[in-house]
Amino acid sequence: SQQGEEDPQALSIQEGENATMNCSYKTSINNLQWYRQNSGRGLVHLILIRSNEREKHSGRLRVTLDTSKKSSSLLITASRAADTASYFCATDLRSYNTDKLIFGTGTRLQVFP
Amino acid sequence: NAGVMQNPRHLVRRRGQEARLRCSPMKGHSHVYWYRQLPEEGLKFMVYLQKENIIDESGMPKERFSAEFPKEGPSILRIQQVVRGDSAAYFCASSARQGSGEQYFGPGTRLTVT
């Protein structure tokens, strides 16, 4: 089963509004990452937050991590039409000497101009 | 400073044929990961390789799929006797060292089995 599940599955907003996406996971992690994927394209790494961090910022992105609730959120402020994409969280379990990432199901964000 | 390169970008195969997908990691990266993405789904881990070694193949189907990362040249994901269910996007990622956290993804190869 998937380690991560994003909520909501789809989100539609107007340009200028904020978009919040949530990710829940099941087991202990070393870090959690957020990726963006434009339709039919590869993944772009957005931000990594380690298990001992609670909040991280990068430009218009703000990520929080609550290890007690096994959840993370990605906030995109002042959204733009170019932010339209699918967003995935991925966890690094670092078990058995491997760095494999376990991806969530994704949130499809649509930003209308 | 080229990123992760994958080729071909699109591959069409008939059922029963072989598919070979190539991945060249970022310069200086010796860790390669392969993931598969079915339509409307997230990525699923397949295999993790270092040069000449398979470290974790827990996500690889037991039959028809194999991967290698030779001392020289790209990493290869090979699918023998493809079936329609193999149609997906296959992504390769690389990292500089284990435990670095970040993996850099290539543009993917979209395999269509007809």
Side-chain angles (χ1 to χ4, degrees):
Chain A
S1 62
Q2 283 281 17
Q3 161 77 327
E5 292 186 6
E6 278 92 338
D7 168 58
Q9 286 189 318
L11 180 61
S12 295
I13 58 174
Q14 294 289 133
E15 253 187 341
E17 294 181 337
N18 296 341
T20 300
M21 289 159 267
N22 302 296
C23 167
S24 60
Y25 56 91
K26 295 174 183 169
T27 60
S28 296
I29 61 171
N30 288 304
N31 63 61
L32 185 145
Q33 306 179 50
W34 285 90
Y35 287 85
R36 183 185 74 222
Q37 183 180 37
N38 289 81
S39 180
R41 300 289 196 90
L43 275 75
V44 174
H45 184 268
L46 295 177
I47 200 163
L48 179 152
I49 186 165
R50 301 200 181 276
S51 58
N52 60 353
E53 297 175 310
R54 291 297 166 258
E55 188 170 311
K56 208 160 182 181
H57 297 255
S58 176
R60 293 184 295 113
L61 306 180
R62 173 177 166 250
V63 168
T64 62
L65 179 64
D66 186 335
T67 53
S68 66
K69 294 181 180 178
K70 292 187 169 59
S71 67
S72 173
S73 67
L74 170 67
L75 168 68
I76 304 174
T77 59
S79 64
R80 304 166 182 167
D83 294 328
T84 294
S86 290
Y87 292 81
F88 295 92
C89 69
T91 51
D92 172 5
L93 304 182
R94 206 189 291 177
S95 60
Y96 303 105
N97 205 34
T98 179
D99 279 350
K100 67 182 180 185
L101 294 178
I102 309 296
F103 281 82
T105 50
T107 292
R108 286 186 301 281
L109 173 66
Q110 176 125 37
V111 181
F112 290 99
Chain B
N1 186 17
V4 178
M5 299 177 70
Q6 290 187 250
N7 67 81
R9 294 291 303 275
H10 299 272
L11 182 62
V12 179
R13 284 286 180 265
R14 291 196 181 91
R15 278 180 297 172
Q17 291 184 320
E18 179 180 288
R20 290 171 70 89
L21 288 62
R22 294 176 191 78
C23 168
S24 296
M26 284 182 70
K27 188 176 182 181
H29 287 192
S30 59
H31 301 252
V32 166
Y33 311 79
W34 285 93
Y35 296 84
R36 176 165 64 176
Q37 184 180 33
L38 296 172
E40 306 299 322
E41 293 189 12
L43 278 70
K44 298 269 179 67
F45 168 80
M46 298 182 75
V47 62
Y48 163 38
L49 310 104
Q50 294 177 25
K51 285 282 187 182
E52 299 184 282
N53 285 306
I54 296 175
I55 307 301
D56 180 356
E57 55 182 347
S58 59
M60 286 277 272
K62 293 288 184 273
E63 297 176 350
R64 301 188 297 108
F65 285 72
S66 63
E68 62 177 10
F69 189 16
K71 188 176 179 181
E72 301 291 337
S75 174
I76 306 285
L77 179 67
R78 183 179 175 211
I79 311 172
Q80 294 178 289
Q81 299 176 318
V82 296
V83 300
R84 289 227 171 100
D86 297 331
S87 294
Y90 292 82
F91 290 95
C92 167
S94 73
S95 67
R97 56 181 174 82
Q98 190 174 351
S100 64
E102 290 186 27
Q103 293 179 18
Y104 296 85
F105 281 80
T109 293
R110 275 152 188 82
L111 172 66
T112 301
V113 179
T114 60

